[in-house]
Amino acid sequence: MQLQNAISQSISQALEALFGLTVDASAISLQPTRKEFAGSFTFVTFPYTKQAGKGPEQIGEALGAYLKEHAAEVKNYNVVKGFLNLEIEEEVWVRLFRELMTNPSHGQATDSGKKVMVEYSSPNTNKPLHLGHLRNNFLGYSVSEIMKANGHDVMKANLVNDRGIHICKSMLAYQKMGNGETPESSGIKGDHLAGKYYVLFDKAYKEQIDELVAQGMDKEEAKKKAPLILEAQTMLQKWEQGDEEVVSLWKTMNGWVYEGFDATYRNIGVDFDKFYYESETYTLGKERVEEGLQKGVFFKKPDGSVWVDLTDEGLDEKLLLRSDGTSVYITQDMGTAELKHNDFPYDQSIYVVADEQNYHFQVLKAVLKKLGKPYAEGIYHLSYGMVDLPSGKMKSREGTVVDADELVQEMIDTARQQTEELGKIEGFTPEEATKLYHTLAMGALKYFLLKVDPKKRMLFNPQESIDFRGNTGPFVQYTHARISAILRKAGEMGIAVDAASFSDFNNLHEAEQEVITLLVNYPEVVQEAGKLYAPSVIANYAYELAKAYNRFYQEISIFNETDEQARNFRIALSAMVARFVRESMSLLGIEVPERM
RNA sequence: GGCCCUGUAGUUCAAUGGAUAGAAUAGGAGUUUCCUAAACUCUAGAUUCAGGUUCGAUUCCUGACAGGGCCA
């Protein structure tokens, strides 16, 4: 921000004037002053002791005195050990506040000219979404919004895994046991219906295995020889040959699943600009293999399989094409990377995929680099950890999966219950109340999943995690609702929110100054979040802002203030907090209510 | 066996190499003639271990230990 730059400049000049040191202003780092000391910015003198030939405290004192004298922004200073704390003139804060008030694009970067593709969600069409998918979806959506705020042109893509043996399993079970059941006839949401048959398949398959083992067959062999799995494999072959009956069933069942996914996506508030289907892309990539062979960067083994040697990158040799000419996952991904780049010539391609695929993406990037693809450099794997339950890892086969739709519904029920207990729905129409419960439920859930560093495995405890107090989404939402009440009242009183209404105001409370500092900092936070692909940075910011405001709200009265300018300023300050709470939360995909 | 990720209060999470390691929750004590107490204030409590680099290490490096993942 400008203020920091100005101070860095002054420090640079001071170092030159006092000690004859030439230090570029951009190399001078300022940090926010810790709460227990007076001041807003802190300059650390230790790194300059040798060059200056003075002790840290001496340097601090000399710099502080010089800055107080020469830098208009600096009101006062104090030196603790080697830390120079600088206090800023109050009118500087008020001026900065007025500037951001009248700047509608504070926090929205100008067009960067860069294209960024974000692939996320990417579900299988054989079962409904679960808690892990929610982390993925929220991350993908939020990172997309953060990239937009950083001025990039963003395309959100979803690569649907709609083919393969897992779908055939559901289809086969449906053929055998479905009796023509449909989402309409059963009242079961399409994706859940497909999931039901996937589970049925697995159960029957297991029984067959047990039977074979009981007859004396080795377990591994039984897994391969069970009639059901053989049938499923036959079905996959038929699908690949375009068998009419199989393809028709596949289309029908996938159609149900898409309707189900659509409903879930709408409910959780995520969307996509483009869908890719693996059924359309799974044959791609073989041309890339051919290209690599011609360029001599891939090699063929005697059995005809194609490999790439990545040992120079610290990776292994990797299979790219089987000896029978069929492709593997990495082959397909090479193809889709090219396809995506043709569709949308990205500078950066972000893949939001779980961390079990870390190695896979290292390989993908390395292989594309070997092929000399310029877009390889822009590939970034946004890797995230599993969501664990208190009982351990989620396992679909053991029925310990937290279903996304059910979880959202539970959150909504909890929101309703809590709101009713607190007696907060007075004056709400039923529609407004329903909307509020949804907003709160999604706020709690999204915030909970996004406030944590994506890399980390996280624990989801259904009892403890659904909290509406403390460092949570609803806490931030509550702050917005409180401010909205203030703004409504100000409106009724005919007080307009504008900078002119407090033109002579200058006397800031500490709590007010803290809030302004946070507001002024918002664009940097957005930048930081973009650089790190980290919604958690935004979540922390929103929390800090809400917390700082609540302190102000508690300590300082607005409408009892007799000084009109001070009152107007506080209303304006409140309005700006509401604005940036709203903006930062929207980067997380979270809505904020007017009342709650 | 090789490679990758993660180890911080009882618990769930923070901390561009900087000060006395922050929050939340659970525990203890308070705040309502006043704009929404889903709030605020106070209190107690933690860096897995051993080396190294540095004026300074939760952070960087090496090695253990623990948890998780990937590749055969």
Side-chain angles (χ1 to χ4, degrees):
Chain A
M1 79 187 186
Q2 295 169 294
L3 178 56
Q4 263 184 56
N5 291 342
I7 293 171
S8 296
Q9 284 287 354
S10 302
I11 292 177
S12 172
Q13 284 164 19
L15 286 171
E16 167 87 56
L18 296 169
F19 308 109
L21 299 178
T22 41
V23 181
D24 195 73
S26 61
I28 286 171
S29 71
L30 290 173
Q31 45 190 298
T33 301
R34 296 180 70 110
K35 255 202 225 146
E36 57 266 40
F37 304 106
S40 297
F41 299 104
T42 296
F43 176 69
V44 184
T45 63
F46 294 109
Y48 301 93
T49 48
K50 266 187 193 154
Q51 291 169 284
K54 295 255 166 44
E57 304 218 15
Q58 277 176 292
I59 297 176
E61 285 294 340
L63 275 179
Y66 182 95
L67 290 173
K68 189 175 174 182
E69 178 80 12
H70 293 90
E73 301 87 357
V74 176
K75 177 186 178 188
N76 216 335
Y77 71 97
N78 64 82
V79 180
V80 183
K81 295 182 198 168
F83 298 89
L84 171 62
N85 301 320
L86 299 169
E87 291 174 56
I88 303 302
E89 293 285 356
E90 286 179 359
E91 56 253 38
V92 173
W93 289 121
V94 179
R95 177 170 53 78
L96 288 172
F97 176 68
R98 282 205 194 88
E99 278 170 18
L100 74 86
M101 241 184 116
T102 50
N103 176 6
S105 60
H106 185 70
Q108 171 60 53
T110 51
D111 190 354
S112 69
K114 281 196 176 154
K115 289 187 187 304
V116 177
M117 189 175 253
V118 182
E119 181 196 304
Y120 71 101
S121 200
S122 305
N124 290 339
T125 55
N126 65 332
K127 54 190 168 206
L129 305 179
H130 59 66
L131 179 54
H133 291 115
L134 289 180
R135 190 177 196 187
N136 180 307
N137 280 286
F138 297 156
L139 267 175
Y141 182 86
S142 178
V143 165
S144 302
E145 292 304 304
I146 290 169
M147 289 300 153
K148 285 184 198 167
N150 276 282
H152 308 316
D153 181 12
V154 174
M155 180 177 278
K156 293 181 260 191
N158 189 349
L159 173 59
V160 183
N161 190 346
D162 63 342
R163 67 164 286 280
I165 193 74
H166 52 282
I167 293 48
C168 291
K169 288 177 180 176
S170 301
M171 285 160 59
L172 190 63
Y174 180 79
Q175 248 182 4
K176 288 180 183 296
M177 302 176 255
N179 296 320
E181 190 177 36
T182 65
E184 289 75 27
S185 74
S186 64
I188 300 175
K189 199 160 156 279
D191 48 337
H192 290 263
L193 189 63
K196 170 180 157 187
Y197 286 99
Y198 186 71
V199 172
L200 284 176
F201 173 92
D202 210 56
K203 219 172 132 193
Y205 175 42
K206 267 198 184 125
E207 281 168 15
Q208 287 187 349
I209 292 171
D210 290 344
E211 218 170 287
L212 289 172
V213 170
Q215 288 166 18
M217 194 184 278
D218 176 72
K219 184 154 187 185
E220 285 310 305
E221 200 185 346
K223 277 186 187 168
K224 287 178 196 154
K225 294 260 172 81
L228 274 173
I229 196 73
L230 295 177
E231 271 188 84
Q233 278 159 2
T234 307
M235 195 177 226
L236 181 59
Q237 282 163 13
K238 280 189 178 172
W239 179 88
E240 287 184 6
Q241 289 154 9
D243 180 278
E244 215 169 293
E245 196 191 339
V246 172
V247 169
S248 160
L249 176 62
W250 173 76
K251 280 185 180 163
T252 304
M253 288 186 74
N254 269 348
W256 295 342
V257 172
Y258 295 145
E259 275 178 36
F261 283 170
D262 255 11
T264 302
Y265 287 146
R266 250 180 288 130
N267 194 28
I268 65 175
V270 301
D271 55 21
F272 305 93
D273 303 309
K274 187 159 179 71
F275 284 84
Y276 290 97
Y277 298 93
E278 211 187 289
S279 56
E280 291 164 4
T281 61
Y282 81 107
T283 52
L284 296 175
K286 291 186 186 178
E287 310 91 89
R288 302 283 77 72
V289 174
E290 196 50 46
E291 185 184 337
L293 281 169
Q294 273 168 21
K295 286 184 177 170
V297 292
F298 301 163
F299 66 94
K300 230 175 205 168
K301 289 202 174 172
D303 66 356
S305 58
V306 180
W307 295 71
V308 61
D309 182 2
L310 299 170
T311 47
D312 54 338
E313 305 255 355
L315 303 168
D316 296 322
E317 286 188 356
K318 179 81 189 171
L319 175 73
L320 298 177
L321 210 58
R322 295 199 188 94
S323 54
D324 62 4
T326 57
S327 52
V328 291
Y329 261 111
I330 195 87
T331 329
Q332 294 176 35
D333 281 347
M334 288 159 63
T336 30
E338 176 102 356
L339 176 66
K340 283 159 94 180
H341 189 259
N342 288 342
D343 287 347
F344 186 73
Y346 55 74
D347 299 280
Q348 202 170 39
S349 178
I350 300 172
Y351 293 79
V352 184
V353 180
D355 63 5
E356 48 198 8
Q357 302 216 35
N358 283 353
Y359 184 75
H360 176 81
F361 280 100
Q362 272 184 36
V363 170
L364 178 64
K365 189 164 177 170
V367 171
L368 291 172
K369 268 199 223 167
K370 279 229 185 291
L371 276 173
K373 299 293 176 189
Y375 56 75
E377 215 38 69
I379 288 178
Y380 180 81
H381 175 205
L382 176 50
S383 159
Y384 64 90
M386 297 280 153
V387 183
D388 283 322
L389 301 172
S391 54
K393 196 178 168 179
M394 284 198 290
K395 290 194 177 127
S396 48
R397 287 184 197 145
E398 290 169 22
T400 55
V401 178
V402 176
D403 178 76
D405 293 324
E406 281 173 22
L407 177 59
V408 169
Q409 191 50 52
E410 271 174 41
M411 297 291 291
I412 290 173
D413 292 341
T414 310
R416 172 183 295 115
Q417 194 191 324
Q418 300 248 342
T419 306
E420 283 171 356
E421 264 173 33
L422 291 168
K424 297 250 184 184
I425 45 165
E426 221 174 298
F428 275 75
T429 66
E431 293 75 29
E432 284 169 342
T434 304
K435 169 93 172 87
L436 175 65
Y437 303 145
H438 185 265
T439 302
L440 292 178
M442 293 314 302
L445 190 54
K446 288 184 181 180
Y447 188 90
F448 182 82
L449 291 173
L450 288 175
K451 76 173 176 191
V452 180
D453 178 359
K455 270 206 308 285
K456 288 188 171 160
R457 260 183 112 85
M458 63 184 297
L459 184 78
F460 185 86
N461 185 331
Q463 273 84 48
E464 288 171 18
S465 303
I466 303 179
D467 208 338
F468 291 76
R469 292 157 44 222
N471 187 353
T472 65
F475 172 90
V476 181
Q477 291 173 319
Y478 179 64
T479 307
H480 185 268
R482 276 177 145 187
I483 296 174
S484 300
I486 288 171
L487 297 180
R488 278 195 298 272
K489 185 165 176 182
E492 283 162 19
M493 294 168 70
I495 304 166
V497 175
D498 73 297
S501 72
F502 55 94
S503 48
D504 295 329
F505 176 76
N506 248 335
N507 188 16
L508 286 178
H509 281 83
E510 204 183 304
E512 292 169 324
Q513 198 203 88
E514 241 172 79
V515 172
I516 294 179
T517 308
L518 282 165
L519 293 175
V520 169
N521 252 324
Y522 180 64
E524 292 202 328
V525 173
V526 173
Q527 232 178 39
E528 178 82 358
K531 215 167 63 188
L532 301 175
Y533 310 92
S536 60
V537 170
I538 302 290
N540 286 336
Y541 173 83
Y543 176 67
E544 287 302 324
L545 181 58
K547 201 171 158 57
Y549 182 82
N550 279 335
R551 205 176 306 131
F552 154 82
Y553 180 94
Q554 202 78 23
E555 284 173 17
I556 300 163
S557 179
I558 294 175
F559 292 108
N560 284 342
E561 174 60 58
T562 47
D563 177 352
E564 237 177 68
Q565 297 244 340
R567 184 198 65 189
N568 293 348
F569 164 75
R570 286 171 199 162
I571 291 168
L573 186 69
S574 301
M576 287 306 108
V577 171
R579 176 178 148 196
F580 290 102
V581 160
R582 198 184 315 118
E583 280 201 21
S584 54
M585 291 293 265
S586 87
L587 294 184
L588 303 176
I590 299 175
E591 292 178 32
V592 287
E594 299 284 318
R595 288 186 294 161
M596 67 182 271

